[in-house]
Amino acid sequence: LKAVVKTKPGDGFVELIQIPEPEAGKGDLLVHVERAGICGSDLNIFHGTFEGYKVPVVMGHEFAGTVENAHPSSGFTKGERVACETHAYVCNDCEYCRSGKYNLCPSRRGFGYGVDGAFAKYVKVRSALAHRLPDGISMDEGAMLEPLSVALNALTNSIIRAGDSMLIIGPGPIGLMCSQIARLSGANAMVMGSEGSTFRLKVAESLGATTITDRQLRDELGKSRTGRFDLTVLATGRASSFETALLATKPGGQVVQIGESVEMASFQFSLIERKNLTIHGSFSHTWPVWEKAISLVNDRRIDLLSLATHRIPIEAWREGFDLTERRNGLKVLIRP
Ligand SMILES: [Zn+2]
Ligand SMILES: [Zn+2]
């Protein structure tokens, strides 16, 4: 079967090639991938700037599909619609695995960089990772539950009070999921993007957020460095945004960091201390967060479909990567 494979380390070396069909062993499911989303981290893997990827590896970690083959012990049957967590391997033995925080397992390997992923017709998954999709959730939405769970995990780990003002730096899919969750929590969401991200900021507004450009925010922070946001979310891989977040947040406020990159950040050290800020990181997600994400989408309280701007066949994967890199649209979904 055809798969998008990172074949060698370095910049590029991604090809659509034939691979053998994966075999599902005990406790595994073979999932027929119906939709797989392209993520910013796939571009980092493409460019060789992602930490810890192995080669060759089938890329792709945001996906939904139907069970093609299920080991009898798995509890699943052929034809069930599922979306899956990304933790392809965890040790099940460490302090984190034993306390339900398996997303933090030091031995964790994820789909699409550590274990063969979903940019292929079939992917093999541990049945523990699969969540059943209610009939009301489409495959397009199913493939976006992973980034939604990333956003939800980040915000359920922070304190949001009704009426809080929240700044979201980065108008990508995860940023616009965060802005929707903020509104559900009773906060006022403002999304910041560059001058060039007009389309993304328009979608943010259509989903109920207010918007600001990076230049407008810089001008504002040039006048007053006190900040006016109770909580700032960094949904961007641009490390230079970290200082902006520290400046824009009110004294006593929170900064949540979910962007991923290998960039180094440089910022005024004492800002965190002087402003008495709380800084949280949030990595990935766990089972209960996924189940909440599923019910939010099923109840039509989060709009994912407005974020799916492109649907392409797997043969056009390169175009999809380019579209994602240019940041003109939002989520690009591959049909393997
Ligand atoms: Zn992702
Ligand atoms: Zn572990």
Side-chain angles (χ1 to χ4, degrees), residues 39 41 61-62 146:
C39 173
S41 67
H61 61 272
E62 305 176 358
E146 196 277 333

Side-chain angles (χ1 to χ4, degrees), residues 37-42 61-62 86 146-147 150 174 331:
I38 301 175
C39 173
S41 67
D42 292 318
H61 61 272
E62 305 176 358
T86 50
E146 196 277 333
V150 167
I174 290 191
K331 186 57 77 182

Side-chain angles (χ1 to χ4, degrees), residues 94-104 285-288:
C94 70
E95 163 188 354
Y96 302 98
C97 286
R98 287 173 186 264
S99 56
K101 297 177 199 153
Y102 53 85
N103 54 321
L104 305 181
H285 33 64
T286 53
W287 179 267

Side-chain angles (χ1 to χ4, degrees), residues 180-257:
Q180 294 187 65
I181 297 164
R183 282 169 50 79
L184 282 177
S185 313
N188 299 311
M190 179 173 268
V191 175
M192 190 201 90
S194 64
E195 310 264 290
S197 39
T198 331
F199 171 77
R200 291 178 158 198
L201 294 178
K202 274 221 177 79
V203 178
E205 284 169 10
S206 77
L207 294 170
T210 50
T211 58
I212 189 168
T213 66
D214 50 356
R215 183 183 300 180
Q216 286 167 332
L217 185 66
R218 241 183 291 127
D219 287 351
E220 187 185 312
L221 294 173
K223 288 181 199 121
S224 161
R225 294 161 66 88
T226 310
R228 63 177 163 113
F229 298 96
D230 294 291
L231 193 151
T232 302
V233 178
L234 279 157
T236 168
R238 295 208 178 122
S240 58
S241 302
F242 191 70
E243 192 172 51
T244 309
L246 299 180
L247 290 169
T249 307
K250 276 185 187 171
Q254 306 164 72
V255 174
V256 181
Q257 207 281 93

Side-chain angles (χ1 to χ4, degrees), residues 280-302:
H280 298 264
S282 176
F283 176 69
S284 202
H285 33 64
T286 53
W287 179 267
V289 172
W290 268 76
E291 289 295 309
K292 280 186 194 164
I294 289 171
S295 70
L296 285 172
V297 177
N298 199 38
D299 297 345
R300 302 290 126 196
R301 297 172 75 194
I302 296 271

Side-chain angles (χ1 to χ4, degrees), residues 78-98:
K78 186 178 157 92
E80 283 192 279
R81 302 163 76 250
V82 293
C84 302
E85 295 174 36
T86 50
H87 323 286
Y89 173 82
V90 294
C91 77
N92 281 321
D93 194 37
C94 70
E95 163 188 354
Y96 302 98
C97 286
R98 287 173 186 264

